[in-house]
C-alpha cells in the first residue's frame, strides 16, 4: 500500500506556510495527514504520533515550527522514519531562530532541514524518499521536473523577445 506522509505543524498559525507542502503532496497523489501538535504544548501527543507513525503506514514526517523550533527534533527522537523540518518565519528574528533550532541536531538523530518557509521542497523531498520504492511517484516527480524546465525556458524566451523589442 502507498505510504502516507504526516505533516505536523506546531501551531495553526503555521498553516499558511505549511499548506504549500500539503498541496504539493496532493498534486503528486500522495496521501497526507495533517496535524497541529507541539513539542512544547502537546509533547505527549507529539511523541505518540512519532512512535506509532511507521506502524500506521507513514513513510516520512514533515514537521514545521517557528521560534524555538524543537518539533522536528522531538519527533525524530522517537522514530527512525525520515523527518524533514521546515523552519517557519513566525518571530521577530525572521525565522533564523527556527532555522538554527531545526538544523543543529546532535549526531545520531538527523533532521533533514529545508529553507525557512521551504514547505514545497519539504514535500518534494518526502516524495523523493517515497519514490525509492514507488515508481508511480518517481514518474510524477520526473514529469514535474520536465514541466518546471518547460516553464523556465518559456520565461527565458519571453524575456529575450522583450529585450530584443526594447533594443529595436
Ligand atoms: C511555534 O511557535 C509554532 O510553530 C509557531 O510557529 C510559533 C508561534 O505559535 P503561536 O503562538 O502562533 O501559536 O511553536
Amino acid at each position: 500500500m502507498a505510504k502516507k506522509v504526516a505533516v505536523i505543524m506546531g501551531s495553526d498559525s503555521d498553516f499558511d506556510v505549511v499548506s504549500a507542502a500539503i498541496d504539493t503532496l496532493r498534486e503528486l497523489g500522495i496521501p497526507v495527514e495533517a496535524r497541529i501538535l507541539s513539542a512544547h504544548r502537546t509533547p505527549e501527543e507529539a511523541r505518540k504520533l512519532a512512535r506509532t507513525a511507521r506502524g500506521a503506514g507513514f513513510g516520512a514526517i514533515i514537521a514545521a515550527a517557528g521560534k524555538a523550533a524543537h518539533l522536528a527534533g522531538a519527533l525524530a527522537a522517537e522514530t527512525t522514519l525520515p523527518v524533514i523540518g521546515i523552519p517557519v518565519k513566525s518571530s521577530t528574528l525572521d525565522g533564523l531562530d527556527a532555522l538554527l533550532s531545526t538544523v543543529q541536531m546532535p549526531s545520531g538523530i538527523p533532521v533533514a532541514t529545508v529553507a525557512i518557509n521551504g514547505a514545497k521542497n519539504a514535500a518534494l523531498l518526502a516524495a523523493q524518499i517515497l519514490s525509492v520504492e514507488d515508481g508511480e511517484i518517481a514518474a510524477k516527480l520526473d514529469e514535474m521536473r520536465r514541466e518546471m524546465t518547460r516553464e523556465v525556458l518559456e520565461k527565458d524566451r519571453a524575456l529575450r523577445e522583450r529585450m530584443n523589442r526594447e533594443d529595436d
Side-chain angles (χ1 to χ4, degrees):
M1 211 173 83
K3 295 279 186 213
K4 303 179 285 184
V5 173
V7 177
I8 318 299
M9 61 207 94
S11 167
D12 61 337
S13 64
D14 298 321
F15 184 81
D16 285 349
V17 169
V18 174
S19 61
I22 296 170
D23 293 346
T24 301
L25 289 164
R26 284 184 170 156
E27 204 180 318
L28 288 162
I30 296 172
V32 193
E33 283 183 29
R35 300 282 306 271
I36 299 163
L37 292 173
S38 163
H40 307 118
R41 293 165 174 161
T42 63
E44 287 305 328
E45 289 77 3
R47 185 175 301 125
K48 185 171 166 214
L49 180 127
R51 284 188 179 166
T52 58
R54 189 183 290 275
F58 291 101
I61 297 174
I62 293 174
K67 297 185 175 172
H70 297 127
L71 181 59
L75 296 173
E78 304 287 349
T79 181
T80 52
L81 284 177
V83 175
I84 301 164
I86 307 172
V88 175
K89 177 178 166 177
S90 62
S91 76
T92 48
L93 296 181
D94 279 347
L96 185 59
D97 44 359
L99 172 64
L100 297 178
S101 301
T102 306
V103 81
Q104 289 284 38
M105 288 297 292
S107 186
I109 308 292
V111 166
T113 306
V114 296
I116 295 169
N117 285 2
K120 181 164 185 173
N121 271 1
L124 290 173
L125 184 54
Q128 288 177 205
I129 290 165
L130 300 191
S131 78
V132 172
E133 296 289 337
D134 189 322
E136 262 183 54
I137 296 174
K140 284 180 187 162
L141 284 166
D142 282 342
E143 178 49 31
M144 213 177 236
R145 288 269 176 114
R146 283 193 291 272
E147 179 59 24
M148 190 168 55
T149 302
R150 280 194 289 273
E151 280 173 16
V152 173
L153 292 179
E154 174 53 30
K155 285 175 188 166
D156 174 58
R157 194 194 56 73
L159 173 67
R160 282 184 292 136
E161 242 178 53
R162 202 178 74 220
M163 302 285 281
N164 286 340
R165 272 201 308 275
E166 285 169 8
D167 284 346
D168 290 343

